[in-house]
Amino acid sequence: MRLMPATIILCAALLGGCDQTRTADARPATARSEHVDSLVPREEALRLFRQGLEEPESLNGGARSRDALVRDFVGALEARDTAALRAMLMTKAEYGWLYYPTNPQGLPPYDLSPALYWFMIEGRSAQGLTQALAERGGQPLRLVGYSCYAGFSQEGVNRVYGPCLVRRRQAPGDTVSERLFGPILERGGRYKFVSYANQL
């Protein structure tokens, strides 16, 4: 058995890798049912996904600069402030109305359905946040700086930055770089995290 090609592409390109021992047949029933949605025409699948989600005019919350978003993230992680951390994260409505329509993973040749793609983003993000809180939460991170590779990806009016590495000081003269979060979304002068998938 093997992972489905779209899953492999998504995990490698955006979410930082997957457990290669997990096969398509071994995935939870929810994930298998989400994959069936990919057989539905894209516009219909998106219409169904958006049901019950109020269309946002722009990103709500987040920060007015990328630097501020990263600083706020580090501060919230140090304080174990889960409410603040969730407020910096792209919501399901923002995903369905503002992010998915122009994201390459939802377009040919990948054609991931909105439900499946959200299922994967949300799952990896929840896992990443749990790891970050367990391993870095509640302690001073001593932020030195951060960097995002390869500039940004222009997706319609969206700009997506990442992967990004946070540089922090462990001890005098000892600086470590870590991927503590996933891509950063910029739209209309607001910045939020797409996910908290990381490499801890």
Side-chain angles (χ1 to χ4, degrees):
M1 297 182 186
R2 58 186 177 85
L3 281 171
M4 298 181 320
T7 303
I8 295 173
I9 292 168
L10 177 64
C11 293
L14 178 64
L15 301 179
C18 289
D19 181 356
Q20 296 293 314
T21 63
R22 191 178 186 189
T23 66
D25 290 340
R27 290 179 302 150
T30 305
R32 292 197 297 272
S33 65
E34 300 284 15
H35 178 62
V36 173
D37 291 345
S38 65
L39 304 177
V40 177
R42 182 176 187 270
E43 291 306 314
E44 175 63 11
L46 188 53
R47 185 190 68 80
L48 293 171
F49 182 86
R50 287 171 170 171
Q51 284 184 345
L53 300 175
E54 184 176 350
E55 181 177 0
E57 294 182 4
S58 60
L59 295 178
N60 182 38
R64 293 192 177 277
S65 74
R66 198 178 68 182
D67 292 350
L69 183 69
V70 173
R71 286 196 303 269
D72 290 348
F73 169 83
V74 170
L77 188 57
E78 289 175 333
R80 296 185 62 85
D81 188 341
T82 56
L85 288 165
R86 291 193 177 97
M88 300 177 213
L89 193 61
M90 176 180 69
T91 67
K92 185 176 183 179
E94 290 166 345
Y95 162 84
W97 288 98
L98 307 179
Y99 181 77
Y100 175 83
T102 56
N103 186 269
Q105 296 295 332
L107 300 170
Y110 310 115
D111 289 320
L112 286 178
S113 74
L116 175 59
Y117 191 23
W118 175 248
F119 173 83
M120 298 175 73
I121 289 176
E122 188 178 38
R124 292 284 292 176
S125 186
Q127 179 184 8
L129 180 57
T130 298
Q131 289 175 323
L133 287 168
E135 299 185 29
R136 300 291 180 268
Q139 56 185 291
L141 296 182
R142 302 181 181 89
L143 177 67
V144 174
Y146 76 98
S147 58
C148 296
Y149 296 127
F152 59 85
S153 172
Q154 189 74 46
E155 302 173 5
V157 300
N158 298 330
R159 286 184 176 182
V160 180
Y161 300 85
C164 303
L165 292 178
V166 170
R167 297 190 308 279
R168 62 186 189 87
R169 189 173 63 254
Q170 288 186 312
D174 182 14
T175 301
V176 63
S177 294
E178 296 179 317
R179 190 178 300 178
L180 296 179
F181 48 75
I184 294 173
L185 169 63
E186 174 193 355
R187 183 185 177 102
R190 303 296 302 187
Y191 294 75
K192 295 185 83 172
F193 293 105
V194 173
S195 86
Y196 286 141
N198 56 52
Q199 291 189 339
L200 291 176

